[in-house]
Amino acid sequence: MQDKGISQAVIGRLPRYLRYLGDLKENGVERVSSQELSKLMSVTASQIRQDFNNFGGFGQQGYGYNVDYLYTEISKILGLDRQYNFVIIGAGNLGRALGNYLNFERRGFIFKGIFDKDPELEGREVRGVKIKNISELESFLKANNIDIAVLTIPKTGAVGLVDVLVSNGIRAIWNFAHVDLDVPEGVQVENVHLSDSLMKLSYNISRYEGSKN
Amino acid sequence: MQDKGISQAVIGRLPRYLRYLGDLKENGVERVSSQELSKLMSVTASQIRQDFNNFGGFGQQGYGYNVDYLYTEISKILGLDRQYNFVIIGAGNLGRALGNYLNFERRGFIFKGIFDKDPELEGREVRGVKIKNISELESFLKANNIDIAVLTIPKTGAVGLVDVLVSNGIRAIWNFAHVDLDVPEGVQVENVHLSDSLMKLSYNISRYEGSKN
């Protein structure tokens, strides 16, 4: 396929391109050169051209890229030209925060259900979706076409859930649990380990302090 | 300094080592070989040795590494041998979720304040910390020794805040706002762009589907 062998590093940069192109669109900009994009995003123009060449270059002609076209093509590459249904498992603050985040909806990620083991939370609503007991998860997955499970529960619970999710058709797990999940081939996992990110921050703080001594 | 020129890729892997070593400690394991660690973490043993050699190798002698020693040394490298005070700006679900996350406290990240522009939220408590109005932020930063600001507000608000934060001694920003921040040299920024992470997931889903056709 077209993007065979494209590194996750390149893929990881596409959402950022999309963000800047979205801003340009909002500002009514119709064409942008790699030099302009380079200034905006503070990456080199050659980096941008290299990244884009992975996908055929997006036909830069005359003066720069067509912003609309570029935005649409990158959206397609990122699989944003379709809808994904997701459920959230864990209705704590983080789970509710993600359920309430409307931008996901705009991108085609549709919030279908939220589950928790705490009976206290049952029936409360997150953006119009009632919190269900975790015991209803399996039957819910069988009855609905859910693509993505978002895990916002402690690591012990997360590991035990993977089999239920995978055997009921979940194709991707967005994992906020502080553990690496072991999934069969073909099931995608994207980890958001918040503590890891915070540790990188403390590393960079102390390294900078150190470099001053 | 010892870690001069160590790539962020290596640094990015250290928290994961720390997580596995923490589990080994909890299970009372005293020594571990790079081969065992390699199996546990499904990375190659040579990758592990290469990573550790950046820091002098952590003196693997005889049978493997001393788990306690390795855990302590990696903690030090990550700057976890000291405390950091942080404030959260944006008391929505995400901000409150981060304020309630006790693991940060265990790592030495101390939750000192939380601010929001919404007067409705003023006075409510997040883990014993009263939500203050954003108008009190500057005086709070002057009166307290805050290292890290966590931004859980929309991008428009985030950009405008950077000057206030930096000019009042903030050394690091943990940025959840969906925008790249422009900060002076010496101020550390770690971005958590949740939408970007979700797009990588949709890319990998659709790529996998595509590869099956």
Side-chain angles (χ1 to χ4, degrees):
Chain A
M1 55 186 297
Q2 67 162 355
D3 58 10
K4 186 162 151 301
I6 292 170
S7 75
Q8 286 287 316
V10 175
I11 300 310
R13 287 194 288 270
L14 292 182
R16 187 162 179 258
Y17 287 117
L18 201 64
R19 179 147 39 94
Y20 279 85
L21 290 164
D23 293 345
L24 290 172
K25 262 165 61 101
E26 278 176 27
N27 299 328
V29 178
E30 289 180 357
R31 299 192 76 79
V32 65
S33 68
S34 47
Q35 290 76 10
E36 291 168 321
L37 213 45
S38 150
K39 262 219 204 77
L40 273 174
M41 300 180 62
S42 37
V43 293
T44 68
S46 72
Q47 162 90 83
I48 292 173
R49 284 189 295 266
Q50 271 176 42
D51 284 348
F52 289 1
N53 283 335
N54 286 297
F55 308 99
F58 303 119
Q60 171 173 29
Q61 308 141 340
Y63 171 59
Y65 302 95
N66 177 309
V67 172
D68 259 327
Y69 174 77
L70 194 49
Y71 183 90
T72 309
E73 288 306 304
I74 292 180
S75 301
K76 278 188 208 156
I77 292 164
L78 287 170
L80 300 174
D81 54 344
R82 41 157 299 191
Q83 285 199 347
Y84 302 89
N85 295 331
F86 72 92
V87 294
I88 296 170
I89 300 167
N93 284 301
L94 180 56
R96 294 201 300 273
L98 296 172
N100 279 309
Y101 197 51
L102 285 163
N103 278 339
F104 297 153
E105 208 91 1
R106 285 196 209 101
R107 294 296 191 191
F109 300 92
I110 314 301
F111 175 41
K112 288 293 190 178
I114 178 163
F115 299 83
D116 201 282
K117 65 176 184 182
D118 178 1
E120 294 276 306
L121 297 173
E122 225 172 308
R124 293 197 204 171
E125 287 199 355
V126 179
R127 194 146 58 80
V129 176
K130 278 202 163 55
I131 300 174
K132 291 187 171 60
N133 189 279
I134 190 74
S135 60
E136 300 176 52
L137 175 63
E138 186 157 8
S139 54
F140 184 90
L141 292 177
K142 289 186 195 303
N144 297 272
N145 180 14
I146 306 300
D147 305 288
I148 300 172
V150 182
L151 297 189
T152 53
I153 50 177
K155 59 180 176 180
T156 45
V159 173
L161 267 175
V162 170
D163 287 350
V164 179
L165 296 172
V166 170
S167 58
N168 289 286
I170 289 293
R171 278 128 25 99
I173 298 175
W174 199 21
N175 178 39
F176 289 77
H178 202 222
V179 61
D180 299 320
L181 299 176
D182 191 9
V183 299
E185 196 248 330
V187 176
Q188 314 302 325
V189 176
E190 176 75 14
N191 294 307
V192 182
H193 291 324
L194 294 176
S195 304
D196 292 13
S197 157
L198 192 50
M199 289 182 202
K200 277 176 75 179
L201 199 56
S202 61
Y203 167 82
N204 285 318
I205 295 174
S206 49
R207 185 185 174 180
Y208 179 74
E209 311 278 296
S211 70
K212 290 189 304 185
N213 304 339
Chain B
M1 55 188 296
Q2 67 161 358
D3 58 8
K4 185 159 153 301
I6 291 172
S7 77
Q8 287 287 316
V10 175
I11 300 311
R13 286 194 288 271
L14 292 183
R16 187 163 179 258
Y17 286 117
L18 201 64
R19 181 149 34 97
Y20 280 85
L21 291 164
D23 293 344
L24 290 172
K25 263 165 60 102
E26 278 176 26
N27 299 330
V29 178
E30 291 180 356
R31 299 192 75 80
V32 64
S33 67
S34 48
Q35 290 74 11
E36 291 168 322
L37 213 45
S38 150
K39 264 220 202 79
L40 273 174
M41 300 180 62
S42 36
V43 294
T44 68
S46 71
Q47 162 89 84
I48 294 173
R49 283 188 297 264
Q50 272 177 43
D51 284 349
F52 289 1
N53 283 336
N54 286 297
F55 308 99
F58 302 120
Q60 171 173 30
Q61 307 141 339
Y63 171 60
Y65 301 96
N66 177 309
V67 172
D68 260 326
Y69 174 77
L70 193 48
Y71 184 91
T72 309
E73 287 306 303
I74 292 180
S75 301
K76 280 189 208 157
I77 291 164
L78 286 170
L80 300 174
D81 52 346
R82 40 156 301 190
Q83 284 199 348
Y84 302 89
N85 295 331
F86 72 92
V87 295
I88 296 170
I89 299 166
N93 284 301
L94 181 56
R96 292 201 301 273
L98 296 172
N100 279 309
Y101 197 51
L102 286 163
N103 278 339
F104 297 154
E105 209 91 3
R106 285 196 209 102
R107 293 296 191 193
F109 299 94
I110 313 301
F111 174 41
K112 288 293 190 178
I114 178 164
F115 299 82
D116 201 281
K117 65 176 184 184
D118 179 1
E120 293 277 305
L121 296 174
E122 225 171 308
R124 291 197 206 171
E125 287 199 354
V126 179
R127 195 145 60 79
V129 177
K130 277 202 162 55
I131 299 174
K132 291 186 168 62
N133 190 279
I134 190 75
S135 61
E136 299 177 51
L137 175 64
E138 186 156 10
S139 55
F140 184 90
L141 292 177
K142 289 187 195 306
N144 297 272
N145 179 16
I146 306 299
D147 305 288
I148 300 171
V150 183
L151 297 189
T152 53
I153 51 177
K155 57 181 179 180
T156 44
V159 173
L161 267 175
V162 170
D163 287 349
V164 179
L165 296 171
V166 170
S167 58
N168 288 285
I170 289 292
R171 281 133 16 105
I173 298 175
W174 199 20
N175 177 40
F176 289 77
H178 201 220
V179 61
D180 299 319
L181 300 175
D182 193 8
V183 298
E185 196 247 332
V187 176
Q188 314 303 324
V189 177
E190 175 76 13
N191 293 307
V192 182
H193 291 325
L194 293 175
S195 304
D196 292 13
S197 155
L198 193 49
M199 289 182 203
K200 277 175 76 179
L201 200 57
S202 61
Y203 167 82
N204 285 317
I205 294 174
S206 49
R207 185 187 175 181
Y208 178 75
E209 311 278 296
S211 69
K212 288 188 306 183
N213 303 341

